[in-house]
Amino acid sequence: MDYAAKEKDADFLMNQVFKVQQNWSQIEAYQEFSEELVRAVVAEGGRLATEVMAPLNEVGDAHGCQLNDGEVTTPPGFKEAFAQITEGGWLGLTGNPAFGGQGMPKSLAGLIEEMFWAANSSLFLYGSLTVGACLSIDAHGSAEQKQTYLEKLYSGQWTGAMALTESHAGTDLGMMRTKAEPQADGSYRITGTKIFITSGEHDMAENIVHLTLARIVDGPKGTKGISLFIVPKFVPNADGSLGPRNGWSSGSLEHKMGINGSATSVINYDGARGFLLGEEHQGLAAMFTMMNYERLSVGLQGLGAGDLAYQHSARYAQDRIQGRSATGAQHPDKEADSLLVHPDVRRMLLTQRAYVEGCRAFAFFAGMQLDEAKHMGDERAERFGQLLTPVVKAFLTDKGLEGAVMAQQILGGHGYVKEWGVEQIVRDARIAQIYEGANGIQALDLAGRKVVRDGGKTLKELLQVLADFELDAGHAPAVSEAFERLRRVTDSMIARSNEDANLPGAVSADFLDLVGMTLCAWAWGVMAQRAGDDDFGVAKKQTARFFFARLLPRTVGLEQGLMADSDVLMDMPEALFSA
Amino acid sequence: MDYAAKEKDADFLMNQVFKVQQNWSQIEAYQEFSEELVRAVVAEGGRLATEVMAPLNEVGDAHGCQLNDGEVTTPPGFKEAFAQITEGGWLGLTGNPAFGGQGMPKSLAGLIEEMFWAANSSLFLYGSLTVGACLSIDAHGSAEQKQTYLEKLYSGQWTGAMALTESHAGTDLGMMRTKAEPQADGSYRITGTKIFITSGEHDMAENIVHLTLARIVDGPKGTKGISLFIVPKFVPNADGSLGPRNGWSSGSLEHKMGINGSATSVINYDGARGFLLGEEHQGLAAMFTMMNYERLSVGLQGLGAGDLAYQHSARYAQDRIQGRSATGAQHPDKEADSLLVHPDVRRMLLTQRAYVEGCRAFAFFAGMQLDEAKHMGDERAERFGQLLTPVVKAFLTDKGLEGAVMAQQILGGHGYVKEWGVEQIVRDARIAQIYEGANGIQALDLAGRKVVRDGGKTLKELLQVLADFELDAGHAPAVSEAFERLRRVTDSMIARSNEDANLPGAVSADFLDLVGMTLCAWAWGVMAQRAGDDDFGVAKKQTARFFFARLLPRTVGLEQGLMADSDVLMDMPEALFSA
């Protein structure tokens, strides 16, 4: 499926909008990442995305994965393409340099990840789970574990997977039943069944390293009794070579709506050998190191899907002639005008684009917070990163699906048939709202844990920092108004939560939406100010204008709806949901 | 896939909310449709939907249709189920009694159609196209054509299809190339290729009657030169028996995102014999008779999908235990509380439900307008029906997809895998926004042709009529406010359209959304007033309360966005959509 990497947009964000070189110059570990080097990295990532990954996107959907005798076969070409990704060192982009990682900024890596997701989300899933596993091992592993696993994972010789979900316990990890029995040699015997395990079994690497949540027998009940284990497919020998096949297997593959090129397994652990990662009973904390990365990354998956869909529908609208302009024929020499003469087609294109570019900007800003927290020990940046993570995950994936659906609409009937590829984007994008914590969970995390719990302190600090950016004069009042609106809603939500324990959950989804819209408004205010007068800049300014006139007003309605208390939801008796 | 027919809701709308017996008693043709008879019809329709059609919904998706040597095979069981639908006379429900139809009200038929769509949209497509073809033949056919075709179509011995779209000309019918050459015997020779032909070829009936748009050679250019032809698969002999196989064939089947049980063909007309239906060059008018019915019906398809999705997700939320209430354990005896303790899950369920039930009510009202226009010669009801048709088509299908996506979200990962069936609802529902005039076309029809063109007269008359209904006292002010908002926006849109030819198209989608929301508000105001104090009534009142508190506020944002002129869309240079 054709996809153009957005190198120019990456450059614009890094060098015009956020001037990252100024920040990076203050970070010891980033000294070598000059503008030139970074540009070369983005260009090469873009080449890989467009030339190697994108051509396999439809192939992956059409072929899917096969399970025979416990062995999973990935779609034709996936193995070779994955080898090109791993050989280039792309899985270790932000990895620990002590073990072969490249130590690049997360903000930069996000721009590359977006391209990989856009080009072929099924294929990149084999990589993204590996990156997440590395983060967890790097943060919580023993020296020996890091030595054993990190280099082989960064290089893609081995890949990673996370095994959390059980069929009766999705979001509610406290109900988990998979058990871990301590063995004399310090390892554990893992027994249980996990479902929905992305990249849990496949044929792209010689070893697959599961990070598996399980309950140590006789440990505390609920989430406090859960620990995280490294459960490799082949247990490594002391010299790092592959040892015996471990006691787990892929029982079946899930048949899904989309991301068919990604193997999603049911994994049966039948007394498999596992090695504790981090502390006993601290599994959730260790797992969240991985999860937080994955959440940001999955947000970028939504963003990538949205951009891919935009590109397809914009090209279609430019090429397709149909109907005449309401102001008279624009191309009288042709049988009809282009679809672009129709205001409603433009509305759909500009909506897609305004969200893609606005979201890309604030996701990049979120990445910068993670970089500053990691390398400058900046406690506030740490909190900003935690606040922004659920917004990036949920808002970007919501808008990704919305955008893909709009793109499909622009293609009309061609959008519904497989031949044109856009319906695949919709099916593929849909998962991003569900996995790595469904978007409802993200919203509750934001409203409850990240805002109500600290009395809105971090959110207001963030708004203060954002207000210090130079904004386009024409749009600055609208951004201020949006900030004021968000402050009002935040204060009201916090105040009412004292009396109404269900309030954060009742308003969470709309609250997250409001935060996302407000961040988009800010991003467009900044981008319009930094855009030049060339075509690229004019497109930015026009899109900003559209965003403020047509999309931001949604927040006025959001505010009003957010004033309702939880009783309008909770008063309905449970039984009446089927009356 | 489990589906419960909503007989009680049908009864509530007919007898409590709209008291249709009062209207029907004034219509000669409806004298026999007593409350009892109608209830029996709804019950039997519901039985057919739940027991015969619903069990084949997943089968249809999994098997799809096959094309071998020009013959299309439908999924296992479809033929037998379709025979049960046709034998019961369900395709002739609203048909002309002079030719074996049952002459029932369109408003009543809509309630049945919704059930059929919900139970199995792929299967019902074979019927719905037949009903549309009958309408066109009944309205525009010669006595001989009616005699030849209607009875056999009403009985489902033959089925219908409409052939409009060509690959280069979707919405823009003026670019159509299929040609019709007059023959000495008064027939025409039809040559060309049509795509996306639903039920164009299949194995469920002995004959398939295409209504095909084509251009009579040497006729006027553009849409003015288009005529409508009856092009049967087997040309009937004078005695009504099947004559020779006609010169058209199914060249291929489309591979679609969903509705896989419905055969969508490319049809090649290779000098096929066609018979003019209606006047020369008046094809669009004749076709729109069918199209307007199909548009209402497709709206009900969206509604059915939304209800089916709601039922699945409500059942899941009731059965699934996960997490604890924010106010403390509600089911301390169980390992976890039901999903229904979580406010955000309730928000998603109530959102789905508020739209399903609100839309069902105003779609029923739209059906009543068609009945009154047809049988009482009520010119105003005719205009109301025309105004409401695009709203029913677009708003109900938009909300149908939205609802299905929400249902999927409630199921989490289970919503993404095929096993649970909800992802199929999303894929199936998606087409309804696209076919029979994409929703953007509906919006332009509403804003431009139905509102701006008559200076808002019909819309304002409608609001006046709606205001005369007795509303729940608590919600009446919100309904008034919504009406005022819609009047303001309408006046502004009309005034600005004088200067800005692109304005109707620029605001059309949001305008249609605003009209749909306003009609929902009115419907909830009326339903809350008529609801009793039993479980059914309490559920209605609680859902109304949720709608007014959480959903209606969206219209405040819509109004503000609708104040933008078309320049925010049109100023972007065409080339920059890819910059």
Side-chain angles (χ1 to χ4, degrees):
Chain A
M1 207 183 292
D2 278 356
Y3 164 69
K6 302 309 280 282
E7 294 173 40
K8 205 163 178 179
D9 280 87
D11 202 68
F12 176 63
L13 288 180
M14 289 192 288
N15 300 313
Q16 262 75 62
V17 178
F18 293 112
K19 305 190 193 304
V20 286
Q21 291 291 333
Q22 291 177 12
N23 293 51
W24 294 354
S25 66
Q26 298 168 47
I27 296 176
E28 178 66 29
Y30 294 167
Q31 293 305 313
E32 60 181 297
F33 304 126
S34 67
E35 214 174 303
E36 291 65 35
L37 175 70
V38 165
R39 200 168 279 141
V41 170
V42 171
E44 180 57 15
R47 191 196 65 76
L48 202 60
T50 53
E51 294 178 14
V52 177
M53 299 178 74
L56 294 172
N57 201 15
E58 285 175 82
V59 173
D61 186 59
H63 285 261
C65 297
Q66 315 299 329
L67 174 68
N68 290 305
D69 298 329
E71 301 291 321
V72 171
T73 312
T74 51
F78 266 43
K79 199 170 171 171
E80 295 73 17
F82 191 67
Q84 289 197 53
I85 298 171
T86 56
E87 282 160 17
W90 295 96
L91 303 191
L93 207 61
T94 59
N96 185 342
F99 300 94
Q102 302 193 44
M104 290 197 189
K106 176 68 201 163
S107 48
L108 167 62
L111 296 170
I112 309 273
E113 284 185 16
E114 178 205 325
M115 295 175 186
F116 287 176
W117 285 121
N120 192 329
S121 54
S122 286
L123 179 56
F124 186 52
L125 272 167
Y126 297 96
S128 111
L129 271 296
T130 304
V131 177
C134 289
L135 276 169
S136 225
I137 294 172
D138 192 32
H140 304 284
S142 65
E144 192 193 331
Q145 286 173 332
K146 293 185 197 183
Q147 199 65 50
T148 305
Y149 292 100
L150 283 181
E151 192 168 340
K152 292 209 166 63
L153 287 166
Y154 287 148
S155 71
Q157 191 176 343
W158 299 355
T159 62
M162 57 203 274
L164 283 62
T165 306
E166 301 181 6
S167 66
H168 66 291
T171 300
D172 190 348
L173 296 171
M175 290 162 73
M176 186 174 291
R177 291 179 194 149
T178 297
K179 66 177 179 181
E181 299 161 285
Q183 304 297 298
D185 66 353
S187 73
Y188 291 77
R189 210 178 129 78
I190 313 287
T191 308
T193 299
K194 299 281 183 179
I195 64 168
F196 300 155
I197 310 307
T198 304
S199 314
E201 175 63 313
H202 58 80
D203 58 358
M204 313 242 274
E206 62 175 42
N207 200 5
I208 300 170
V209 180
H210 290 188
L211 300 194
T212 305
L213 285 179
R215 189 181 292 288
I216 298 176
V217 287
D218 304 326
K221 290 200 169 177
T223 54
K224 294 196 186 82
I226 292 173
S227 305
L228 187 60
F229 299 89
I230 301 178
V231 194
K233 181 174 175 181
F234 294 95
V235 180
N237 296 317
D239 64 357
S241 63
L242 294 184
R245 179 73 165 86
N246 206 347
W248 60 252
S249 60
S250 170
S252 64
L253 286 180
E254 306 283 359
H255 299 283
K256 308 184 299 292
M257 182 186 194
I259 51 163
N260 289 328
S262 166
T264 313
S265 281
V266 173
I267 299 285
N268 300 314
Y269 294 95
D270 191 16
R273 276 187 88 190
F275 307 95
L276 187 68
L277 178 60
E279 303 291 310
E280 273 188 12
H281 312 320
Q282 300 296 314
L284 288 198
M287 191 267 299
F288 264 100
T289 306
M290 173 166 58
M291 201 78 165
N292 277 332
Y293 157 77
E294 298 290 353
R295 286 178 173 181
L296 267 178
S297 192
V298 167
L300 301 173
Q301 178 183 2
L303 179 60
D307 192 21
L308 180 65
Y310 172 76
Q311 293 185 24
H312 273 256
S313 55
R315 199 157 48 229
Y316 183 87
Q318 280 175 320
D319 293 348
R320 176 90 171 175
I321 62 169
Q322 194 157 294
R324 288 295 185 191
S325 164
T327 58
Q330 302 297 299
H331 303 280
D333 51 314
K334 293 187 184 162
E335 204 178 350
D337 289 340
S338 114
L339 271 188
L340 285 173
V341 303
H342 303 296
D344 191 56
V345 171
R346 287 173 166 252
R347 175 191 64 84
M348 292 190 276
L349 288 170
L350 286 168
T351 301
Q352 292 179 66
R353 184 163 180 166
Y355 285 127
V356 165
E357 297 182 359
C359 288
R360 182 185 287 127
F362 82 69
F364 184 85
F365 177 80
M368 288 175 68
Q369 304 311 307
L370 303 193
D371 293 332
E372 288 174 26
K374 180 174 175 184
H375 288 290
M376 301 171 80
D378 184 334
E379 173 276 337
R380 195 183 67 176
E382 171 79 31
R383 286 186 290 117
F384 285 176
Q386 288 181 1
L387 179 84
L388 290 167
T389 296
V391 185
V392 171
K393 196 286 182 177
F395 193 78
L396 271 62
T397 58
D398 283 349
K399 293 303 159 196
L401 182 78
E402 250 183 70
V405 167
M406 269 188 195
Q408 201 182 13
Q409 196 70 21
I410 291 170
L411 271 79
H414 299 300
Y416 196 68
V417 295
K418 294 193 179 290
E419 192 183 349
W420 287 73
V422 177
E423 65 87 36
Q424 184 193 336
I425 308 176
V426 174
R427 288 185 292 105
D428 287 352
R430 183 67 185 90
I431 188 59
Q433 299 171 290
I434 296 173
Y435 64 11
E436 308 307 339
N439 284 0
I441 297 297
Q442 307 299 326
L444 190 58
D445 178 46
L446 173 73
R449 297 183 56 211
K450 307 290 170 64
V451 175
V452 170
R453 191 176 289 180
D454 84 347
K457 174 172 175 274
T458 301
L459 179 56
K460 286 180 184 173
E461 282 178 1
L462 175 65
L463 291 178
Q464 200 51 57
V465 167
L466 299 182
D468 287 343
F469 277 72
E470 195 186 348
L471 300 173
D472 174 87
H475 300 311
V479 177
S480 291
E481 201 185 309
F483 282 12
E484 265 318 300
R485 173 166 296 115
L486 180 54
R487 284 195 194 94
R488 272 199 305 276
V489 169
T490 301
D491 287 343
S492 163
M493 176 175 78
I494 293 169
R496 289 182 291 148
S497 296
N498 288 328
E499 304 288 311
D500 180 356
N502 278 315
L503 199 270
V507 299
S508 52
D510 285 354
F511 182 75
L512 187 144
D513 201 19
L514 181 67
V515 173
M517 292 297 295
T518 307
L519 291 169
C520 267
W522 165 76
W524 277 115
V526 179
M527 288 194 287
Q529 173 64 12
R530 304 289 165 91
D533 294 321
D534 55 351
D535 279 357
F536 180 88
V538 170
K540 287 277 173 291
K541 288 176 191 171
Q542 290 292 347
T543 308
R545 203 175 142 214
F546 168 78
F547 176 84
F548 284 102
R550 292 295 298 268
L551 301 181
L552 187 59
R554 284 186 49 229
T555 56
V556 184
L558 282 174
E559 177 177 15
Q560 191 167 313
L562 279 160
M563 290 303 137
D565 290 333
S566 74
D567 55 348
V568 299
L569 294 164
M570 306 314 291
D571 285 356
M572 176 90 131
E574 285 199 6
L576 298 199
F577 279 94
S578 46
Chain B
M1 206 182 291
D2 277 355
Y3 165 69
K6 303 308 280 284
E7 295 173 40
K8 205 164 178 180
D9 280 86
D11 203 66
F12 176 64
L13 288 181
M14 287 192 288
N15 299 312
Q16 262 75 63
V17 178
F18 293 112
K19 303 189 194 305
V20 286
Q21 291 291 332
Q22 290 177 12
N23 293 54
W24 294 354
S25 65
Q26 298 168 49
I27 296 176
E28 178 65 31
Y30 294 166
Q31 292 305 312
E32 60 180 300
F33 303 127
S34 67
E35 215 174 302
E36 292 64 36
L37 175 72
V38 163
R39 201 169 280 141
V41 169
V42 170
E44 179 57 17
R47 192 196 64 76
L48 203 61
T50 54
E51 295 178 15
V52 176
M53 300 178 73
L56 295 172
N57 200 14
E58 285 176 82
V59 175
D61 186 59
H63 285 261
C65 297
Q66 315 299 330
L67 175 67
N68 290 305
D69 297 331
E71 301 291 319
V72 171
T73 312
T74 51
F78 266 43
K79 199 168 172 171
E80 294 74 16
F82 191 66
Q84 290 197 53
I85 299 172
T86 56
E87 282 159 17
W90 295 96
L91 302 191
L93 208 61
T94 59
N96 186 343
F99 301 96
Q102 302 193 44
M104 288 198 191
K106 176 69 202 166
S107 47
L108 167 62
L111 295 170
I112 309 272
E113 284 185 15
E114 178 205 325
M115 296 175 186
F116 288 176
W117 285 122
N120 194 327
S121 54
S122 287
L123 179 55
F124 186 52
L125 273 167
Y126 297 97
S128 111
L129 272 294
T130 304
V131 177
C134 289
L135 276 170
S136 225
I137 294 172
D138 191 33
H140 305 283
S142 64
E144 191 194 331
Q145 286 172 333
K146 293 185 196 183
Q147 200 63 51
T148 304
Y149 292 99
L150 283 182
E151 194 168 338
K152 293 207 167 64
L153 287 167
Y154 287 148
S155 72
Q157 191 176 343
W158 299 355
T159 62
M162 56 203 275
L164 283 63
T165 306
E166 301 181 5
S167 66
H168 66 290
T171 300
D172 191 347
L173 296 171
M175 289 161 73
M176 187 174 291
R177 289 177 196 152
T178 296
K179 66 177 178 182
E181 299 161 284
Q183 304 296 298
D185 66 354
S187 72
Y188 291 77
R189 213 180 128 80
I190 312 289
T191 308
T193 299
K194 298 282 183 178
I195 64 167
F196 300 155
I197 309 308
T198 304
S199 315
E201 176 64 312
H202 58 80
D203 59 358
M204 313 243 274
E206 62 175 42
N207 200 5
I208 300 170
V209 180
H210 289 188
L211 300 195
T212 304
L213 286 179
R215 190 181 290 288
I216 298 176
V217 288
D218 304 328
K221 290 201 171 178
T223 53
K224 293 195 187 84
I226 292 173
S227 306
L228 188 61
F229 299 89
I230 301 177
V231 194
K233 181 172 173 182
F234 293 96
V235 180
N237 296 317
D239 64 357
S241 63
L242 295 184
R245 178 75 166 87
N246 206 346
W248 61 252
S249 59
S250 170
S252 65
L253 286 180
E254 306 285 358
H255 299 282
K256 309 184 297 292
M257 181 185 195
I259 53 165
N260 289 329
S262 166
T264 313
S265 282
V266 173
I267 300 285
N268 300 315
Y269 295 94
D270 191 18
R273 274 188 88 191
F275 307 95
L276 187 67
L277 177 61
E279 304 290 311
E280 273 189 12
H281 313 320
Q282 300 295 315
L284 287 198
M287 191 268 299
F288 264 100
T289 306
M290 172 166 60
M291 201 78 166
N292 277 331
Y293 157 77
E294 298 289 355
R295 286 179 172 180
L296 267 179
S297 192
V298 167
L300 300 173
Q301 177 181 5
L303 179 59
D307 192 21
L308 180 66
Y310 171 76
Q311 292 186 23
H312 273 257
S313 55
R315 201 158 47 229
Y316 184 88
Q318 280 175 320
D319 294 347
R320 177 93 173 174
I321 61 169
Q322 195 158 293
R324 289 294 184 193
S325 163
T327 59
Q330 300 297 298
H331 303 280
D333 51 313
K334 293 188 183 162
E335 203 178 352
D337 290 339
S338 112
L339 270 187
L340 286 174
V341 304
H342 303 297
D344 192 56
V345 171
R346 286 172 168 254
R347 175 192 64 84
M348 291 190 277
L349 287 170
L350 286 168
T351 301
Q352 291 178 66
R353 185 163 180 167
Y355 286 126
V356 165
E357 297 183 359
C359 287
R360 183 185 287 126
F362 81 71
F364 184 85
F365 177 80
M368 288 175 69
Q369 304 311 307
L370 302 193
D371 292 333
E372 290 175 25
K374 181 174 173 185
H375 289 290
M376 301 172 78
D378 185 335
E379 174 275 338
R380 196 183 66 176
E382 170 80 30
R383 284 187 289 118
F384 286 176
Q386 288 181 0
L387 179 84
L388 289 166
T389 296
V391 184
V392 171
K393 196 291 183 173
F395 192 77
L396 271 62
T397 58
D398 283 350
K399 294 304 161 195
L401 183 78
E402 250 182 70
V405 167
M406 269 188 194
Q408 198 181 18
Q409 194 71 20
I410 290 170
L411 271 81
H414 299 299
Y416 196 69
V417 296
K418 294 193 179 291
E419 194 183 348
W420 287 72
V422 178
E423 65 87 33
Q424 184 193 337
I425 308 177
V426 174
R427 288 185 291 105
D428 287 353
R430 183 66 185 91
I431 188 59
Q433 300 171 290
I434 296 173
Y435 63 12
E436 308 307 338
N439 284 1
I441 297 298
Q442 307 297 328
L444 190 57
D445 179 44
L446 174 72
R449 296 183 57 212
K450 308 288 170 66
V451 175
V452 170
R453 191 176 291 181
D454 84 349
K457 175 172 173 276
T458 301
L459 178 58
K460 286 179 184 174
E461 281 176 1
L462 175 65
L463 291 177
Q464 199 53 55
V465 167
L466 300 182
D468 287 342
F469 277 73
E470 196 187 346
L471 299 172
D472 174 87
H475 300 311
V479 177
S480 291
E481 201 184 308
F483 282 12
E484 265 318 298
R485 174 167 295 117
L486 180 53
R487 285 195 193 93
R488 271 199 306 275
V489 168
T490 301
D491 287 342
S492 163
M493 176 175 79
I494 293 169
R496 289 182 291 148
S497 294
N498 289 327
E499 305 288 310
D500 180 355
N502 277 315
L503 199 269
V507 300
S508 52
D510 286 352
F511 182 75
L512 187 144
D513 201 19
L514 180 68
V515 173
M517 292 298 294
T518 306
L519 292 170
C520 267
W522 165 77
W524 276 116
V526 179
M527 288 195 286
Q529 174 64 12
R530 304 288 166 93
D533 293 321
D534 56 350
D535 279 359
F536 181 87
V538 170
K540 286 279 173 292
K541 288 175 191 170
Q542 291 293 347
T543 308
R545 205 175 140 213
F546 168 78
F547 176 84
F548 284 102
R550 293 294 299 267
L551 300 181
L552 187 60
R554 284 185 48 228
T555 56
V556 184
L558 282 174
E559 177 177 13
Q560 191 167 313
L562 279 159
M563 291 302 136
D565 290 332
S566 74
D567 54 349
V568 300
L569 295 164
M570 307 313 292
D571 285 356
M572 177 90 132
E574 286 200 6
L576 297 199
F577 280 92
S578 46

